[in-house]
Amino acid sequence: MKAIVLIILLPLCCLLSGCVQDLTADDTSAFQVIAGGNSAQSDDKRLQVIASQAAYDDIFFRVLNRSGTPETFDFETYQVLLVMSGAQPAALTLQVAGFSAVDQQVNIALQPRYAAAGCPPPATVQQPWLLVLFPRVNKPLAITEQPQMVSC
């Protein structure tokens, strides 16, 4: 039993240790998507930096309506970004394009994908959301969107 737990935890530890970096250049390994889905159950677009375990637990249960035990993170080293696309306009998918640091801030690029004009609406309502783990930085975060249109 202990061996199975170690086999599962070892790759996770390697992923997390790869995240601890100074964000000094474009670096897609500076973050890790820890959860995501297509049914945020919220019509509001939301971008929120989560800086404590209590705040993460609140988001886990109250906002994302998830069950089970929330993951535990070292919020002295990491922080979590909650991204919810909202309902208007309806995004098909949502992903993080990258993190990059400049002198005074860290830029986070989000890439929502939308159906092109004239496309029929999806059969089910899509409200993508992501939880992204990244190193705690002492610079302001600038979050930008780079939307992509997808043809029918």
Side-chain angles (χ1 to χ4, degrees), residues 11 39 116 145:
S39 56
E145 289 188 7

Side-chain angles (χ1 to χ4, degrees), residues 10 21 47 49 88 105 109 115 119 124:
L10 185 60
Q21 301 176 27
L47 301 171
V49 176
Q88 297 298 327
Q105 69 186 24
C119 291
T124 59

Side-chain angles (χ1 to χ4, degrees), residues 117-137:
C119 291
T124 59
V125 175
Q126 301 286 316
Q127 291 179 308
W129 60 272
L130 295 173
L131 287 171
V132 183
L133 181 73
F134 64 101
R136 180 176 288 280
V137 292

Side-chain angles (χ1 to χ4, degrees), residues 23 25 31 33 61 68 78 83 93 95 113 129:
L23 293 172
F31 67 93
V33 175
F61 291 118
Y78 298 100
V83 182
T93 62
Q95 65 184 30
R113 297 179 74 191
W129 60 272

Side-chain angles (χ1 to χ4, degrees), residues 45-47 83-86 88-89 91 93-97 107-114 142-148:
K45 184 175 187 171
R46 187 171 186 167
L47 301 171
V83 182
M84 298 172 74
S85 67
Q88 297 298 327
T93 62
L94 181 62
Q95 65 184 30
V96 178
N107 297 318
I108 303 171
L110 302 176
Q111 217 166 38
R113 297 179 74 191
Y114 299 97
I143 301 170
T144 59
E145 289 188 7
Q146 301 169 344
Q148 293 182 333

Side-chain angles (χ1 to χ4, degrees), residues 1-7:
M1 181 66 179
K2 288 182 182 180
I4 293 172
V5 171
L6 286 175
I7 290 172

